[in-house]
Each structure stands twice: as C-alpha cells, then as structure tokens.
Amino acid sequence: MNATQGLITDTIAFSNVDGPGNRFVVFLQGCNFDCIACHNPYTINLCNHCGDCVAACPSGALGFSLSGGVEWSRDSCTGTDTCISVCQWDSTPKAVRMSVEDLLVEIRHAAPFLSGITVSGGEATQQADFLRELFGAVRADPALADLTCFVDSNGAADRSTWTSLLLTMDGVMIDLKCLDSSIHRAITGQPNDQVLDSIRYLDAVDRLYEVRLLMLPGINDDTALLERTALWLADVDPLMRVKLIGFRQHGARPSTRHLVEPTPEQMFMYHDIFATTAPFSLCVI
C-alpha cells in the first residue's frame, strides 16, 4: 500500500445528501476558493500554528509540539469546536494526516450499509494524488469494489487533474457559483474559467453527475443571468442533473455582504427558468 497521506478534516460514516444513495463522506482540508457563503470556512486554509486556539480550548486538548506546532489530542477533546470559532485564519487544528489504509479501515466498518464514497472539502482536487490512491484502493478491495467513488468539487481543477482520476472515479458533483465571471470572482475570489471547462470536460467523458447552483438573492439570481446560465448548461447537456440550492444563514460564515435566504417564491421562479429552458433533471432544496 502506498504511503501517501491525506490531510483530513472529518469523515461522516453515513450521508444521503452527498451523492446518490447512502455514502461515506471524507472532508479534505484546504480550498482554492474563499466563498462569501461558505458553510465550512474552517476547511479553507491549512493551520498556520499561530496558537490562538491553544489557550481558548476548554478541554486542554490543544498544545504545542517540540517543534512549535499546534498539536491536538483526540482523546482529550470534548468537541466544543471553540478552536474553530476563535480561529481568524479559516482553519482548524483538528485536521489529521491519514493514510489510505487508515481510511479504508473506517470505510470497511460501514461498507455493508453504503452505496458509495464521496470526497469533499475544502476542495478535494487539491489532494488529487490522495484521491487517486484512495479510489484505486477501494476498487481493488473485494469488500469495497461495489461502492461508487464520487468527488464533490468547486470545479477549479485543470484537465490533467481530472484525467488522472478518470480510471478510478465514477462521478463528480460540480458547484457553479455563477456563470458571470466578475460575479463569480466577487463570490469566490477566483475566476470561473476552470469551472466551466471542468463541466464541459466531465460531461464529455461521462463523469459529470450533477451541477449545483447556490442561489444568493440579489447577487447571482438576476433573471437574465439565470436564463443565460440555463442556456449554457443546456448547450453542454440538456438532460444533465441540476440542483438549485437556496442559501441558508445557519452555519454560514460571517460576511461583509448582506446575504439573505431566498423565499419559496424565489425558489419556484429559479426552478421555472431552468425547467422551461431544457428537460434538465431538476432538484430544488
């Protein structure tokens, strides 16, 4: 077994919202976007070992190693997440290095009840080598080989990254924050060329499972913009799965932008724009 390790924020043994069926979800640390509406901003940056969290930890689970880095004791931690709330760097001291084999041990325990595995983040493709080895190991394990391997991604990866994953990856769910490049940059801090190219490429090689759009009223929900978005997606594949997700305040990071939740009426309007453009497989949540 190759000794490549992944920097893992957390795992969920059972999830029915991260791809088809019941899935084991792996959250990787590190993201190349800085989204204003991020619901897990502590996965964006790698810990810089500033130590702000050490004194704040109510359980004494955090300390400094001999090399000066922040160390976390899982056994002492009471799970208050105070460390995350005091971190000004959008990180967590609780991300751990795990080998593929270590992760497979956890997956095997849940395997009889699973449809597949989804790797999310952060941004999963930032650790593409680990992804490739994990998915390859799953396919090679007789007890796990029937599980599908999915990636939940912001799409900001080049074609060579996706190509390297094709033989072991069954599907990708892509978040399209906005078709308009300037709005996309305002929302994420990055352009959207790679995202759009990823959607085209993954559809062409039959790996695009779903495109997700997070709806932010007053920011990316202009009617003309949504009509252009629906037409662009229909040009790629008029039958693709499209999920429209209404922004929710609960769990979102603080933002200098005034973010509001869409009303049910707005969500119906979004749905109608896409439904009248093409026979997409639509889901609204």
Side-chain angles (χ1 to χ4, degrees):
M1 181 68 67
N2 198 300
T4 297
Q5 293 186 318
L7 184 60
I8 296 173
T9 310
D10 201 2
T11 60
I12 298 176
F14 306 109
S15 170
N16 62 3
V17 295
D18 293 279
N22 193 25
R23 309 190 70 79
F24 188 101
V25 186
V26 182
F27 296 91
L28 300 184
Q29 186 72 18
C31 188
N32 47 0
F33 278 8
D34 190 16
C35 298
I36 60 173
C38 185
H39 276 73
N40 51 349
Y42 55 89
T43 65
I44 294 175
N45 292 318
L46 307 188
C47 178
N48 63 2
H49 302 284
C50 68
D52 287 352
C53 57
V54 174
C57 178
S59 58
L62 296 172
F64 291 100
S65 67
L66 293 176
S67 62
V70 174
E71 281 188 329
W72 173 56
S73 169
R74 185 189 299 271
D75 293 338
S76 302
C77 184
T78 55
T80 64
D81 285 342
T82 302
C83 53
I84 292 173
S85 64
V86 301
C87 181
Q88 300 181 54
W89 179 239
D90 289 330
S91 188
T92 172
K94 297 193 284 189
V96 296
R97 295 279 176 189
M98 292 182 70
S99 69
V100 167
E101 184 55 42
D102 289 338
L103 201 49
L104 290 183
V105 171
E106 292 189 19
I107 296 171
R108 288 187 191 109
H109 286 306
F113 310 99
L114 295 175
S115 307
I117 298 158
T118 296
V119 182
S120 185
E123 171 49 37
T125 60
Q126 295 286 284
Q127 300 185 52
D129 290 345
F130 182 76
L131 265 185
R132 185 169 55 254
E133 291 185 20
L134 173 62
F135 290 166
V138 168
R139 287 181 179 269
D141 189 319
L144 305 177
D146 289 339
L147 301 181
T148 56
C149 296
F150 274 57
V151 178
D152 188 350
S153 172
N154 62 26
D158 56 32
R159 288 197 178 192
S160 63
T161 297
W162 295 124
T163 302
S164 73
L165 295 168
L166 283 183
L167 293 179
T168 56
M169 174 182 70
D170 295 295
V172 184
M173 296 167 285
I174 296 287
D175 293 325
L176 175 57
K177 308 297 184 183
C178 191
L179 183 70
D180 181 277
S181 183
S182 61
I183 297 175
H184 188 279
R185 190 182 289 273
I187 293 173
T188 69
Q190 298 295 331
N192 64 0
D193 354 11
Q194 281 190 323
V195 182
L196 300 180
D197 187 64
S198 291
I199 291 172
R200 292 190 199 94
Y201 176 69
L202 290 168
D203 182 78
V205 295
D206 196 28
R207 291 295 189 279
L208 183 65
Y209 176 73
E210 179 177 84
V211 172
R212 299 172 172 178
L213 294 93
L214 178 66
M215 306 312 303
L216 299 167
I219 297 178
N220 67 352
D221 70 335
D222 175 78
T223 298
L225 173 59
L226 293 184
E227 289 172 348
R228 291 201 308 275
T229 303
L231 286 169
W232 188 89
L233 292 174
D235 186 59
V236 176
D237 180 1
L239 301 178
M240 75 164 59
R241 289 175 56 92
V242 176
K243 182 174 287 185
L244 304 175
I245 304 172
F247 169 73
R248 296 294 179 264
Q249 293 283 0
H250 180 71
R253 72 191 302 191
S255 174
T256 55
R257 300 284 294 269
H258 180 56
L259 304 181
V260 297
E261 298 183 2
T263 64
E265 292 75 20
Q266 286 174 310
M267 293 302 295
F268 282 126
M269 181 193 72
Y270 305 151
H271 172 273
D272 288 348
I273 289 172
F274 283 84
T276 56
T277 301
F280 297 117
S281 177
L282 276 173
C283 175
V284 179
I285 59 174

